Amino acid sequence: MKDAAEVAEDVTNSKPLEVVARAGFAVSGLLHFLIGLVAIRLAMGGKGQADVSGAVEQLAGQPAGPLLLWTSFAACVALAIWQTSDAIFDFEHLPTKKKVAKKLKAGVQAVVYAAFALTLATVATGARADHRQSTSDLTINLMKAPGGVALLILLGAAVAVTGIVYAIRGFRKSFLKYLRMPSGKQTRTAVTTIGVVGYAAKGFVLLLVGLLIIIATVKAHPEESTGLDGSLKALREQPFGVYLLAAVGIGLICYGIYMAVRAKLAKM
């Protein structure tokens, strides 16, 4: 059993898998970039679906759509495997508290990239992915289940707290410790700036999504829990919401650029 575990660790930490896994960061960057563009379009009075499924649908509509979808799928699967390997095999040298936190973070990231891969595969096979509707449906089903209301409130709180953590990570520039920064001063400054802005925007939208889940649950209107797309469209209707939405869109574009840079500079 030990030999099998060592073989699995060697495979999941191999150079070929690392190369493809790095591309997973770039895919995440592209999706966030597209979501940011839709957010700006919404702020200007246009239409669009400002979430991952909407971004994937945009990819599918390109001339090389199927190729883009399947290569992006492969990259996200590779990164999900890499993060799963980290969650299982890595961080053993750390104190228990830090080890558990690092493993949990890697596990969550594995789930996120697996979800990206699932959305990409769904659209690539000709089906339609609708995160807005699926989020609403999930909320409705959970509210009907025993203990579902409490679980939804905890879920919303977890998403909101994650958003706060992202924003803090951005303002404290702690994301830099995960990168092998270039030597040029101007390049380092540019990477740091887009990272700060990007993490702040990502944190803000996660906070919005979490709060929307909580509000929809407390008001017993699960249909109002509509994920990222619904949160951004709800933001547009608030005082000064158009300007906030445009700023969020710019921030998400910055986050997308940062993730593309991370594909090259990440410490794996």
Side-chain angles (χ1 to χ4, degrees):
M1 182 67 76
K2 184 178 179 181
D3 290 342
E6 289 177 351
V7 170
E9 183 177 7
D10 289 341
V11 170
T12 54
N13 287 323
S14 66
K15 190 65 179 179
L17 182 63
E18 178 188 335
V19 171
V20 184
R22 283 182 179 276
F25 289 125
V27 172
S28 174
L30 177 58
L31 295 177
H32 281 88
F33 187 92
L34 293 173
I35 294 169
L37 289 179
V38 174
I40 293 173
R41 190 188 309 151
L42 291 172
M44 297 174 66
K47 296 181 179 180
Q49 188 172 345
D51 59 15
V52 172
S53 56
V56 172
E57 293 282 357
Q58 289 187 64
L59 285 182
Q62 303 306 309
L67 178 62
L68 279 172
L69 292 178
W70 285 118
T71 53
S72 297
F73 166 79
C76 287
V77 168
L79 188 50
I81 292 172
W82 189 277
Q83 296 285 5
T84 301
S85 174
D86 284 350
I88 296 172
F89 301 116
D90 289 359
F91 314 118
E92 296 298 333
H93 63 287
L94 297 175
T96 301
K97 188 175 180 180
K98 285 188 176 180
K99 178 174 71 174
V100 171
K102 292 283 189 181
K103 285 179 174 290
L104 181 60
K105 179 184 174 183
V108 170
Q109 288 295 310
V111 171
V112 169
Y113 284 102
F116 283 174
L118 179 60
T119 302
L120 287 158
T122 298
V123 176
T125 54
R128 187 173 187 275
D130 189 343
H131 283 191
R132 179 187 177 105
Q133 186 60 47
S134 60
T135 302
S136 180
D137 291 344
L138 176 63
T139 305
I140 291 171
N141 291 330
L142 279 177
M143 286 190 71
K144 293 178 180 177
V149 171
L151 181 60
L152 277 170
I153 291 175
L154 286 174
L155 176 62
V159 174
V161 169
T162 301
I164 294 171
V165 170
Y166 262 84
I168 292 173
R169 188 179 297 164
F171 290 125
R172 294 180 64 180
K173 304 176 184 177
S174 57
F175 59 88
L176 293 177
K177 65 185 177 183
Y178 301 110
L179 304 178
R180 301 185 188 279
M181 291 292 280
S183 57
K185 183 178 179 181
Q186 290 184 331
T187 306
R188 292 169 68 93
T189 299
V191 171
T192 302
T193 301
I194 61 173
V196 170
V197 175
Y199 267 88
K202 173 82 170 181
F204 182 70
V205 297
L206 286 174
L207 177 62
L208 279 180
V209 172
L211 290 177
L212 194 61
I213 293 173
I214 294 172
I215 292 169
T217 303
V218 171
K219 291 170 61 180
H221 291 301
E223 70 281 356
E224 294 181 4
S225 177
T226 49
L228 178 57
D229 179 65
S231 299
L232 293 179
K233 287 174 179 174
L235 175 63
R236 182 178 57 181
E237 305 306 319
Q238 306 308 310
F240 304 105
V242 170
Y243 304 104
L244 282 172
L245 183 55
V248 167
I250 293 170
L252 288 174
I253 288 173
C254 287
Y255 186 78
I257 296 171
Y258 165 79
M259 290 300 288
V261 171
R262 187 179 178 185
K264 173 68 174 178
L265 302 179
K267 297 177 181 178
M268 301 293 281

